[in-house]
Amino acid sequence: MKKSHISIPKPKSKFLKVACSECGEIQVIYSHASTSITCNSCGNEVAKSTGSIAKLYGKVSGNAE
Ligand SMILES: [Zn+2]
């Protein structure tokens, strides 16, 4: 029996570190956030819910896992 390649499924969701585009404050954002997320420091919107993957307005600085 031939061994077939087994692909490991990637997790569909993750936590991301996003820098606020206004003040640079790092926010930890869930990639599938169901609500809009505002900056803790200045109140600027850093992510918006789209129904699936959240739209990010800030600069992603890495995964927060
Ligand atoms: Zn901010």
Side-chain angles (χ1 to χ4, degrees):
M1 189 175 160
K2 198 178 175 186
K3 210 174 189 182
S4 60
H5 176 73
I6 301 161
S7 62
I8 299 159
K10 289 178 182 175
K12 287 176 183 172
S13 59
K14 58 189 172 182
F15 287 91
L16 298 166
K17 285 194 280 188
V18 179
C20 172
S21 58
E22 289 291 320
C23 69
E25 178 87 4
I26 300 292
Q27 312 293 319
V28 176
I29 294 167
Y30 182 53
S31 65
H32 286 59
S34 56
T35 57
S36 293
I37 294 152
T38 52
C39 175
N40 289 329
S41 180
C42 72
N44 182 50
E45 194 173 50
V46 288
K48 191 172 191 174
S49 173
T50 61
S52 56
I53 297 174
K55 170 122 178 66
L56 305 175
Y57 296 114
K59 194 181 276 184
V60 178
S61 64
N63 291 347
E65 290 177 289

